[in-house]
Amino acid sequence: MMKNKFMILGALMLTLSVTSCHKDSDVMLSYVYNDDMAFYAANRSYAEKFKVFWKSMNSTYSLWDYEKDCGLDWDEHYRVMLPKFEGLDTLENVSDDMLKTVMEEMVAPLHDGHMVVYFFNHSTSKYVRASPNLIRNSVRPDFNLEDFSPNLQPYSDELQEWKEGDTYVLTQLRHIMQTKGIGLQWAKARYDELLAKQDPTENDATTLVLLKKFINEIQGLGNQANPLESYNRLVEKYAVLNIPFLDPIDENFENTGIKLKYGLFKDNIAYLHLSEFSLSSYLDNASFQQYYGDSKHATEIAKAISDAYWAWFNAIQRLHKQQKLKGVIIDLRSNLGGSTNDAIYVLGSLAPKGGIQYGYARFKRGSGRYDYSPLMPMMSPTMDADHEVVDDVPITILVNCWSVSMSEVTVLSAKQLPNTRIIGKRTWGGICSLTSQEDFTSNYTGHIGKKNVTPVYVNLPMVGLFDMNKHIVEGNGIQPDIDVDLDVAQFKQGRDTQLERALQYIRTGN
């Protein structure tokens, strides 16, 4: 009996001695934003920041087999990169540019198109950012088209219908400042009216002073670091003037701003441009009220979006029933993605009920590097309400370098419909889904740390996505069926070479 106890004790001692040889603990840390143990050393050391990044990625990233196929040896990458971060720790001061250079080398071999890594630079007290796909795509000719927006004005003679809406914050501010009868223009007219009065009252004199101050302050918004915040302070400050449409602009518009353009060409080709997949809050009145309340200005701009979308949808429904629809163009150039549910209103409003399978997904299911779930089908939603199924005329999808995420899911979905063609340039390459949850989920992924709180923060894909051939296209993007450049010089002269190529395909079949 005593001999057995000594054997057990010896085995325990051997286990402890083997474990103690490891420089770092094998305990799996969760790396949620409030886990002080995971981030403590990273607060004052660049090498420790890198270790947090490497270890957390090692256990949570969903594309390791794909990265291996692309030639990345993650363990060797650790051995190469760690001394470079240790070198930063030997310096008295590390500039943001110095840190960014090493961070970009750290992320460059990775292929997740959504990934953004933030390290807190404790030398400057600023966060420094690096993104693998930003590095990869920065050399592409159409990389500078992030803010691209198509222009239908040069084609006005060819259009029988044309509607637009734009809810971006700066556009709203321009509208309030430039539109006759509201905002700044109303204030100027009212000021001139009171100034011309022969016998102004004391109240008129007070109003004149306030109007002059308001006019000067709102015209200076362009010099403010945060014009939205400054504008909303003006709205509160000068509420007593009762200026028409001088309503607060909700901060939600910073994230849900959208441009939508509809045009119906005279030969019955229906065109829709969408800058973001955030249509739902504009088309559903209850959602809009929840977000933006009773603001008259917000209601007006939302109505412009709603009117333009439903004009596109109704034109397609009417013309298809009459067998007069010639084709459809969905313009997703420089569309940065958004809500999956919004697919219902775009390609999903033309396709059969029941959804479109566009590929497969898998989740991370354990802390081991290759612990993945089985593949499961992924579906893009389609409209459940009765609608015309447009399967007998051409549908074209316009894309470019900045067609990202939900735009790319739409492209993969469109490829499953026999009457669709993708036209333009290769997409961004950020298809793997994200999550808004801050804590770890049962899928081990979503975020590392918390943005602007922990010294390391990484935005990670929630799942790994595959196309219908069970291939991953992450980091590389989707090639169009018809490759055509946007001729920027001609675009400035009023010709959109990519749009005209889509019109040519619909009209001629090639």
Side-chain angles (χ1 to χ4, degrees), residues 439-460:
D439 293 347
F440 266 15
T441 66
S442 59
N443 305 312
Y444 286 81
T445 186
H447 300 267
I448 296 167
K450 185 174 183 181
K451 189 175 179 181
N452 297 326
V453 175
T454 53
V456 175
Y457 170 70
V458 186
N459 203 14
L460 277 178

mmCIF file with all atom_site columns, all heavy atoms in Angstrom, residues 439-460:
data_model
loop_
_atom_site.group_PDB
_atom_site.id
_atom_site.type_symbol
_atom_site.label_atom_id
_atom_site.label_alt_id
_atom_site.label_comp_id
_atom_site.label_asym_id
_atom_site.label_entity_id
_atom_site.label_seq_id
_atom_site.pdbx_PDB_ins_code
_atom_site.Cartn_x
_atom_site.Cartn_y
_atom_site.Cartn_z
_atom_site.occupancy
_atom_site.B_iso_or_equiv
_atom_site.pdbx_formal_charge
_atom_site.auth_seq_id
_atom_site.auth_comp_id
_atom_site.auth_asym_id
_atom_site.auth_atom_id
_atom_site.pdbx_PDB_model_num
ATOM 1   N N   . ASP A 1 439 ? -18.414 39.431 -25.887 1.00 0.00 ? 439 ASP A N   1
ATOM 2   C CA  . ASP A 1 439 ? -17.817 38.293 -25.194 1.00 0.00 ? 439 ASP A CA  1
ATOM 3   C C   . ASP A 1 439 ? -17.670 37.109 -26.129 1.00 0.00 ? 439 ASP A C   1
ATOM 4   O O   . ASP A 1 439 ? -18.302 37.040 -27.186 1.00 0.00 ? 439 ASP A O   1
ATOM 5   C CB  . ASP A 1 439 ? -18.686 37.881 -24.007 1.00 0.00 ? 439 ASP A CB  1
ATOM 6   C CG  . ASP A 1 439 ? -18.695 38.949 -22.930 1.00 0.00 ? 439 ASP A CG  1
ATOM 7   O OD1 . ASP A 1 439 ? -17.856 39.856 -23.005 1.00 0.00 ? 439 ASP A OD1 1
ATOM 8   O OD2 . ASP A 1 439 ? -19.536 38.856 -22.029 1.00 0.00 ? 439 ASP A OD2 1
ATOM 9   N N   . PHE A 1 440 ? -16.847 36.151 -25.707 1.00 0.00 ? 440 PHE A N   1
ATOM 10  C CA  . PHE A 1 440 ? -16.715 34.925 -26.488 1.00 0.00 ? 440 PHE A CA  1
ATOM 11  C C   . PHE A 1 440 ? -18.059 34.218 -26.567 1.00 0.00 ? 440 PHE A C   1
ATOM 12  O O   . PHE A 1 440 ? -18.834 34.205 -25.619 1.00 0.00 ? 440 PHE A O   1
ATOM 13  C CB  . PHE A 1 440 ? -15.718 33.981 -25.817 1.00 0.00 ? 440 PHE A CB  1
ATOM 14  C CG  . PHE A 1 440 ? -14.325 34.115 -26.325 1.00 0.00 ? 440 PHE A CG  1
ATOM 15  C CD1 . PHE A 1 440 ? -13.936 35.205 -27.082 1.00 0.00 ? 440 PHE A CD1 1
ATOM 16  C CD2 . PHE A 1 440 ? -13.395 33.137 -26.045 1.00 0.00 ? 440 PHE A CD2 1
ATOM 17  C CE1 . PHE A 1 440 ? -12.649 35.332 -27.542 1.00 0.00 ? 440 PHE A CE1 1
ATOM 18  C CE2 . PHE A 1 440 ? -12.090 33.258 -26.499 1.00 0.00 ? 440 PHE A CE2 1
ATOM 19  C CZ  . PHE A 1 440 ? -11.718 34.353 -27.242 1.00 0.00 ? 440 PHE A CZ  1
ATOM 20  N N   . THR A 1 441 ? -18.313 33.612 -27.714 1.00 0.00 ? 441 THR A N   1
ATOM 21  C CA  . THR A 1 441 ? -19.494 32.783 -27.855 1.00 0.00 ? 441 THR A CA  1
ATOM 22  C C   . THR A 1 441 ? -19.068 31.327 -27.716 1.00 0.00 ? 441 THR A C   1
ATOM 23  O O   . THR A 1 441 ? -17.896 31.029 -27.520 1.00 0.00 ? 441 THR A O   1
ATOM 24  C CB  . THR A 1 441 ? -20.125 32.979 -29.249 1.00 0.00 ? 441 THR A CB  1
ATOM 25  O OG1 . THR A 1 441 ? -19.207 32.467 -30.224 1.00 0.00 ? 441 THR A OG1 1
ATOM 26  C CG2 . THR A 1 441 ? -20.381 34.443 -29.539 1.00 0.00 ? 441 THR A CG2 1
ATOM 27  N N   . SER A 1 442 ? -20.004 30.411 -27.849 1.00 0.00 ? 442 SER A N   1
ATOM 28  C CA  . SER A 1 442 ? -19.659 28.992 -27.805 1.00 0.00 ? 442 SER A CA  1
ATOM 29  C C   . SER A 1 442 ? -18.801 28.608 -29.004 1.00 0.00 ? 442 SER A C   1
ATOM 30  O O   . SER A 1 442 ? -18.254 27.521 -29.052 1.00 0.00 ? 442 SER A O   1
ATOM 31  C CB  . SER A 1 442 ? -20.937 28.139 -27.797 1.00 0.00 ? 442 SER A CB  1
ATOM 32  O OG  . SER A 1 442 ? -21.708 28.419 -28.959 1.00 0.00 ? 442 SER A OG  1
ATOM 33  N N   . ASN A 1 443 ? -18.681 29.510 -29.982 1.00 0.00 ? 443 ASN A N   1
ATOM 34  C CA  . ASN A 1 443 ? -17.882 29.224 -31.170 1.00 0.00 ? 443 ASN A CA  1
ATOM 35  C C   . ASN A 1 443 ? -16.450 29.735 -31.044 1.00 0.00 ? 443 ASN A C   1
ATOM 36  O O   . ASN A 1 443 ? -15.703 29.743 -32.012 1.00 0.00 ? 443 ASN A O   1
ATOM 37  C CB  . ASN A 1 443 ? -18.534 29.865 -32.396 1.00 0.00 ? 443 ASN A CB  1
ATOM 38  C CG  . ASN A 1 443 ? -19.964 29.412 -32.553 1.00 0.00 ? 443 ASN A CG  1
ATOM 39  O OD1 . ASN A 1 443 ? -20.239 28.228 -32.486 1.00 0.00 ? 443 ASN A OD1 1
ATOM 40  N ND2 . ASN A 1 443 ? -20.884 30.344 -32.710 1.00 0.00 ? 443 ASN A ND2 1
ATOM 41  N N   . TYR A 1 444 ? -16.070 30.173 -29.849 1.00 0.00 ? 444 TYR A N   1
ATOM 42  C CA  . TYR A 1 444 ? -14.691 30.569 -29.551 1.00 0.00 ? 444 TYR A CA  1
ATOM 43  C C   . TYR A 1 444 ? -14.218 31.805 -30.304 1.00 0.00 ? 444 TYR A C   1
ATOM 44  O O   . TYR A 1 444 ? -13.024 32.052 -30.359 1.00 0.00 ? 444 TYR A O   1
ATOM 45  C CB  . TYR A 1 444 ? -13.720 29.419 -29.862 1.00 0.00 ? 444 TYR A CB  1
ATOM 46  C CG  . TYR A 1 444 ? -13.754 28.305 -28.860 1.00 0.00 ? 444 TYR A CG  1
ATOM 47  C CD1 . TYR A 1 444 ? -14.741 27.338 -28.915 1.00 0.00 ? 444 TYR A CD1 1
ATOM 48  C CD2 . TYR A 1 444 ? -12.801 28.229 -27.849 1.00 0.00 ? 444 TYR A CD2 1
ATOM 49  C CE1 . TYR A 1 444 ? -14.782 26.303 -27.987 1.00 0.00 ? 444 TYR A CE1 1
ATOM 50  C CE2 . TYR A 1 444 ? -12.835 27.198 -26.925 1.00 0.00 ? 444 TYR A CE2 1
ATOM 51  C CZ  . TYR A 1 444 ? -13.825 26.249 -26.994 1.00 0.00 ? 444 TYR A CZ  1
ATOM 52  O OH  . TYR A 1 444 ? -13.863 25.233 -26.084 1.00 0.00 ? 444 TYR A OH  1
ATOM 53  N N   . THR A 1 445 ? -15.097 32.542 -30.902 1.00 0.00 ? 445 THR A N   1
ATOM 54  C CA  . THR A 1 445 ? -14.599 33.584 -31.791 1.00 0.00 ? 445 THR A CA  1
ATOM 55  C C   . THR A 1 445 ? -15.539 34.773 -31.852 1.00 0.00 ? 445 THR A C   1
ATOM 56  O O   . THR A 1 445 ? -16.632 34.734 -31.323 1.00 0.00 ? 445 THR A O   1
ATOM 57  C CB  . THR A 1 445 ? -14.348 33.003 -33.195 1.00 0.00 ? 445 THR A CB  1
ATOM 58  O OG1 . THR A 1 445 ? -13.745 33.991 -34.016 1.00 0.00 ? 445 THR A OG1 1
ATOM 59  C CG2 . THR A 1 445 ? -15.624 32.526 -33.847 1.00 0.00 ? 445 THR A CG2 1
ATOM 60  N N   . GLY A 1 446 ? -15.119 35.803 -32.493 1.00 0.00 ? 446 GLY A N   1
ATOM 61  C CA  . GLY A 1 446 ? -15.902 37.021 -32.606 1.00 0.00 ? 446 GLY A CA  1
ATOM 62  C C   . GLY A 1 446 ? -15.050 38.233 -32.309 1.00 0.00 ? 446 GLY A C   1
ATOM 63  O O   . GLY A 1 446 ? -14.948 39.133 -33.115 1.00 0.00 ? 446 GLY A O   1
ATOM 64  N N   . HIS A 1 447 ? -14.407 38.259 -31.138 1.00 0.00 ? 447 HIS A N   1
ATOM 65  C CA  . HIS A 1 447 ? -13.555 39.378 -30.765 1.00 0.00 ? 447 HIS A CA  1
ATOM 66  C C   . HIS A 1 447 ? -12.441 38.870 -29.861 1.00 0.00 ? 447 HIS A C   1
ATOM 67  O O   . HIS A 1 447 ? -12.624 37.920 -29.104 1.00 0.00 ? 447 HIS A O   1
ATOM 68  C CB  . HIS A 1 447 ? -14.332 40.444 -29.982 1.00 0.00 ? 447 HIS A CB  1
ATOM 69  C CG  . HIS A 1 447 ? -15.476 41.031 -30.725 1.00 0.00 ? 447 HIS A CG  1
ATOM 70  N ND1 . HIS A 1 447 ? -15.381 42.182 -31.475 1.00 0.00 ? 447 HIS A ND1 1
ATOM 71  C CD2 . HIS A 1 447 ? -16.771 40.621 -30.848 1.00 0.00 ? 447 HIS A CD2 1
ATOM 72  C CE1 . HIS A 1 447 ? -16.556 42.456 -32.011 1.00 0.00 ? 447 HIS A CE1 1
ATOM 73  N NE2 . HIS A 1 447 ? -17.411 41.527 -31.646 1.00 0.00 ? 447 HIS A NE2 1
ATOM 74  N N   . ILE A 1 448 ? -11.294 39.515 -29.923 1.00 0.00 ? 448 ILE A N   1
ATOM 75  C CA  . ILE A 1 448 ? -10.250 39.362 -28.920 1.00 0.00 ? 448 ILE A CA  1
ATOM 76  C C   . ILE A 1 448 ? -10.148 40.708 -28.226 1.00 0.00 ? 448 ILE A C   1
ATOM 77  O O   . ILE A 1 448 ? -9.815  41.710 -28.848 1.00 0.00 ? 448 ILE A O   1
ATOM 78  C CB  . ILE A 1 448 ? -8.904  38.977 -29.556 1.00 0.00 ? 448 ILE A CB  1
ATOM 79  C CG1 . ILE A 1 448 ? -9.001  37.598 -30.233 1.00 0.00 ? 448 ILE A CG1 1
ATOM 80  C CG2 . ILE A 1 448 ? -7.782  38.991 -28.525 1.00 0.00 ? 448 ILE A CG2 1
ATOM 81  C CD1 . ILE A 1 448 ? -7.825  37.279 -31.132 1.00 0.00 ? 448 ILE A CD1 1
ATOM 82  N N   . GLY A 1 449 ? -10.477 40.741 -26.941 1.00 0.00 ? 449 GLY A N   1
ATOM 83  C CA  . GLY A 1 449 ? -10.465 41.999 -26.208 1.00 0.00 ? 449 GLY A CA  1
ATOM 84  C C   . GLY A 1 449 ? -11.644 42.873 -26.554 1.00 0.00 ? 449 GLY A C   1
ATOM 85  O O   . GLY A 1 449 ? -12.640 42.434 -27.136 1.00 0.00 ? 449 GLY A O   1
ATOM 86  N N   . LYS A 1 450 ? -11.525 44.148 -26.188 1.00 0.00 ? 450 LYS A N   1
ATOM 87  C CA  . LYS A 1 450 ? -12.580 45.117 -26.467 1.00 0.00 ? 450 LYS A CA  1
ATOM 88  C C   . LYS A 1 450 ? -11.937 46.380 -27.007 1.00 0.00 ? 450 LYS A C   1
ATOM 89  O O   . LYS A 1 450 ? -10.962 46.893 -26.462 1.00 0.00 ? 450 LYS A O   1
ATOM 90  C CB  . LYS A 1 450 ? -13.377 45.442 -25.201 1.00 0.00 ? 450 LYS A CB  1
ATOM 91  C CG  . LYS A 1 450 ? -14.576 46.351 -25.469 1.00 0.00 ? 450 LYS A CG  1
ATOM 92  C CD  . LYS A 1 450 ? -15.419 46.539 -24.217 1.00 0.00 ? 450 LYS A CD  1
ATOM 93  C CE  . LYS A 1 450 ? -16.647 47.395 -24.523 1.00 0.00 ? 450 LYS A CE  1
ATOM 94  N NZ  . LYS A 1 450 ? -17.476 47.615 -23.317 1.00 0.00 ? 450 LYS A NZ  1
ATOM 95  N N   . LYS A 1 451 ? -12.519 46.902 -28.092 1.00 0.00 ? 451 LYS A N   1
ATOM 96  C CA  . LYS A 1 451 ? -11.956 48.065 -28.771 1.00 0.00 ? 451 LYS A CA  1
ATOM 97  C C   . LYS A 1 451 ? -11.889 49.264 -27.832 1.00 0.00 ? 451 LYS A C   1
ATOM 98  O O   . LYS A 1 451 ? -12.841 49.569 -27.119 1.00 0.00 ? 451 LYS A O   1
ATOM 99  C CB  . LYS A 1 451 ? -12.807 48.396 -30.000 1.00 0.00 ? 451 LYS A CB  1
ATOM 100 C CG  . LYS A 1 451 ? -12.199 49.451 -30.908 1.00 0.00 ? 451 LYS A CG  1
ATOM 101 C CD  . LYS A 1 451 ? -13.045 49.632 -32.162 1.00 0.00 ? 451 LYS A CD  1
ATOM 102 C CE  . LYS A 1 451 ? -12.471 50.690 -33.080 1.00 0.00 ? 451 LYS A CE  1
ATOM 103 N NZ  . LYS A 1 451 ? -13.300 50.890 -34.288 1.00 0.00 ? 451 LYS A NZ  1
ATOM 104 N N   . ASN A 1 452 ? -10.739 49.929 -27.846 1.00 0.00 ? 452 ASN A N   1
ATOM 105 C CA  . ASN A 1 452 ? -10.477 51.134 -27.059 1.00 0.00 ? 452 ASN A CA  1
ATOM 106 C C   . ASN A 1 452 ? -10.504 50.892 -25.558 1.00 0.00 ? 452 ASN A C   1
ATOM 107 O O   . ASN A 1 452 ? -10.576 51.846 -24.775 1.00 0.00 ? 452 ASN A O   1
ATOM 108 C CB  . ASN A 1 452 ? -11.469 52.250 -27.411 1.00 0.00 ? 452 ASN A CB  1
ATOM 109 C CG  . ASN A 1 452 ? -11.337 52.699 -28.846 1.00 0.00 ? 452 ASN A CG  1
ATOM 110 O OD1 . ASN A 1 452 ? -10.245 52.713 -29.408 1.00 0.00 ? 452 ASN A OD1 1
ATOM 111 N ND2 . ASN A 1 452 ? -12.455 53.053 -29.455 1.00 0.00 ? 452 ASN A ND2 1
ATOM 112 N N   . VAL A 1 453 ? -10.440 49.617 -25.136 1.00 0.00 ? 453 VAL A N   1
ATOM 113 C CA  . VAL A 1 453 ? -10.413 49.293 -23.710 1.00 0.00 ? 453 VAL A CA  1
ATOM 114 C C   . VAL A 1 453 ? -9.176  48.464 -23.380 1.00 0.00 ? 453 VAL A C   1
ATOM 115 O O   . VAL A 1 453 ? -8.364  48.856 -22.551 1.00 0.00 ? 453 VAL A O   1
ATOM 116 C CB  . VAL A 1 453 ? -11.692 48.545 -23.275 1.00 0.00 ? 453 VAL A CB  1
ATOM 117 C CG1 . VAL A 1 453 ? -11.586 48.110 -21.814 1.00 0.00 ? 453 VAL A CG1 1
ATOM 118 C CG2 . VAL A 1 453 ? -12.915 49.426 -23.484 1.00 0.00 ? 453 VAL A CG2 1
ATOM 119 N N   . THR A 1 454 ? -9.032  47.318 -24.030 1.00 0.00 ? 454 THR A N   1
ATOM 120 C CA  . THR A 1 454 ? -7.890  46.453 -23.769 1.00 0.00 ? 454 THR A CA  1
ATOM 121 C C   . THR A 1 454 ? -6.702  46.852 -24.644 1.00 0.00 ? 454 THR A C   1
ATOM 122 O O   . THR A 1 454 ? -6.886  47.458 -25.706 1.00 0.00 ? 454 THR A O   1
ATOM 123 C CB  . THR A 1 454 ? -8.259  44.981 -24.046 1.00 0.00 ? 454 THR A CB  1
ATOM 124 O OG1 . THR A 1 454 ? -8.809  44.880 -25.370 1.00 0.00 ? 454 THR A OG1 1
ATOM 125 C CG2 . THR A 1 454 ? -9.290  44.490 -23.046 1.00 0.00 ? 454 THR A CG2 1
ATOM 126 N N   . PRO A 1 455 ? -5.468  46.519 -24.232 1.00 0.00 ? 455 PRO A N   1
ATOM 127 C CA  . PRO A 1 455 ? -4.291  46.918 -25.013 1.00 0.00 ? 455 PRO A CA  1
ATOM 128 C C   . PRO A 1 455 ? -4.183  46.203 -26.348 1.00 0.00 ? 455 PRO A C   1
ATOM 129 O O   . PRO A 1 455 ? -3.416  46.633 -27.215 1.00 0.00 ? 455 PRO A O   1
ATOM 130 C CB  . PRO A 1 455 ? -3.119  46.569 -24.094 1.00 0.00 ? 455 PRO A CB  1
ATOM 131 C CG  . PRO A 1 455 ? -3.639  45.528 -23.171 1.00 0.00 ? 455 PRO A CG  1
ATOM 132 C CD  . PRO A 1 455 ? -5.092  45.848 -22.962 1.00 0.00 ? 455 PRO A CD  1
ATOM 133 N N   . VAL A 1 456 ? -4.916  45.117 -26.505 1.00 0.00 ? 456 VAL A N   1
ATOM 134 C CA  . VAL A 1 456 ? -4.993  44.405 -27.781 1.00 0.00 ? 456 VAL A CA  1
ATOM 135 C C   . VAL A 1 456 ? -6.463  44.190 -28.103 1.00 0.00 ? 456 VAL A C   1
ATOM 136 O O   . VAL A 1 456 ? -7.240  43.760 -27.247 1.00 0.00 ? 456 VAL A O   1
ATOM 137 C CB  . VAL A 1 456 ? -4.277  43.040 -27.721 1.00 0.00 ? 456 VAL A CB  1
ATOM 138 C CG1 . VAL A 1 456 ? -4.470  42.263 -29.028 1.00 0.00 ? 456 VAL A CG1 1
ATOM 139 C CG2 . VAL A 1 456 ? -2.793  43.212 -27.422 1.00 0.00 ? 456 VAL A CG2 1
ATOM 140 N N   . TYR A 1 457 ? -6.836  44.527 -29.321 1.00 0.00 ? 457 TYR A N   1
ATOM 141 C CA  . TYR A 1 457 ? -8.202  44.225 -29.774 1.00 0.00 ? 457 TYR A CA  1
ATOM 142 C C   . TYR A 1 457 ? -8.129  43.708 -31.203 1.00 0.00 ? 457 TYR A C   1
ATOM 143 O O   . TYR A 1 457 ? -7.433  44.267 -32.054 1.00 0.00 ? 457 TYR A O   1
ATOM 144 C CB  . TYR A 1 457 ? -9.108  45.461 -29.730 1.00 0.00 ? 457 TYR A CB  1
ATOM 145 C CG  . TYR A 1 457 ? -10.434 45.218 -30.419 1.00 0.00 ? 457 TYR A CG  1
ATOM 146 C CD1 . TYR A 1 457 ? -11.379 44.370 -29.850 1.00 0.00 ? 457 TYR A CD1 1
ATOM 147 C CD2 . TYR A 1 457 ? -10.717 45.793 -31.651 1.00 0.00 ? 457 TYR A CD2 1
ATOM 148 C CE1 . TYR A 1 457 ? -12.585 44.121 -30.497 1.00 0.00 ? 457 TYR A CE1 1
ATOM 149 C CE2 . TYR A 1 457 ? -11.924 45.558 -32.294 1.00 0.00 ? 457 TYR A CE2 1
ATOM 150 C CZ  . TYR A 1 457 ? -12.852 44.720 -31.716 1.00 0.00 ? 457 TYR A CZ  1
ATOM 151 O OH  . TYR A 1 457 ? -14.033 44.474 -32.353 1.00 0.00 ? 457 TYR A OH  1
ATOM 152 N N   . VAL A 1 458 ? -8.846  42.607 -31.464 1.00 0.00 ? 458 VAL A N   1
ATOM 153 C CA  . VAL A 1 458 ? -8.898  42.029 -32.809 1.00 0.00 ? 458 VAL A CA  1
ATOM 154 C C   . VAL A 1 458 ? -10.346 41.752 -33.154 1.00 0.00 ? 458 VAL A C   1
ATOM 155 O O   . VAL A 1 458 ? -11.073 41.126 -32.371 1.00 0.00 ? 458 VAL A O   1
ATOM 156 C CB  . VAL A 1 458 ? -8.091  40.712 -32.907 1.00 0.00 ? 458 VAL A CB  1
ATOM 157 C CG1 . VAL A 1 458 ? -8.047  40.228 -34.360 1.00 0.00 ? 458 VAL A CG1 1
ATOM 158 C CG2 . VAL A 1 458 ? -6.680  40.888 -32.364 1.00 0.00 ? 458 VAL A CG2 1
ATOM 159 N N   . ASN A 1 459 ? -10.775 42.222 -34.324 1.00 0.00 ? 459 ASN A N   1
ATOM 160 C CA  . ASN A 1 459 ? -12.095 41.888 -34.849 1.00 0.00 ? 459 ASN A CA  1
ATOM 161 C C   . ASN A 1 459 ? -11.930 40.651 -35.721 1.00 0.00 ? 459 ASN A C   1
ATOM 162 O O   . ASN A 1 459 ? -11.187 40.669 -36.702 1.00 0.00 ? 459 ASN A O   1
ATOM 163 C CB  . ASN A 1 459 ? -12.623 43.060 -35.677 1.00 0.00 ? 459 ASN A CB  1
ATOM 164 C CG  . ASN A 1 459 ? -14.130 43.050 -35.785 1.00 0.00 ? 459 ASN A CG  1
ATOM 165 O OD1 . ASN A 1 459 ? -14.802 42.339 -35.057 1.00 0.00 ? 459 ASN A OD1 1
ATOM 166 N ND2 . ASN A 1 459 ? -14.664 43.850 -36.676 1.00 0.00 ? 459 ASN A ND2 1
ATOM 167 N N   . LEU A 1 460 ? -12.600 39.581 -35.346 1.00 0.00 ? 460 LEU A N   1
ATOM 168 C CA  . LEU A 1 460 ? -12.409 38.286 -36.012 1.00 0.00 ? 460 LEU A CA  1
ATOM 169 C C   . LEU A 1 460 ? -13.686 37.816 -36.691 1.00 0.00 ? 460 LEU A C   1
ATOM 170 O O   . LEU A 1 460 ? -14.788 38.193 -36.285 1.00 0.00 ? 460 LEU A O   1
ATOM 171 C CB  . LEU A 1 460 ? -12.016 37.222 -34.988 1.00 0.00 ? 460 LEU A CB  1
ATOM 172 C CG  . LEU A 1 460 ? -10.554 37.120 -34.582 1.00 0.00 ? 460 LEU A CG  1
ATOM 173 C CD1 . LEU A 1 460 ? -10.408 36.045 -33.531 1.00 0.00 ? 460 LEU A CD1 1
ATOM 174 C CD2 . LEU A 1 460 ? -9.683  36.803 -35.775 1.00 0.00 ? 460 LEU A CD2 1
#
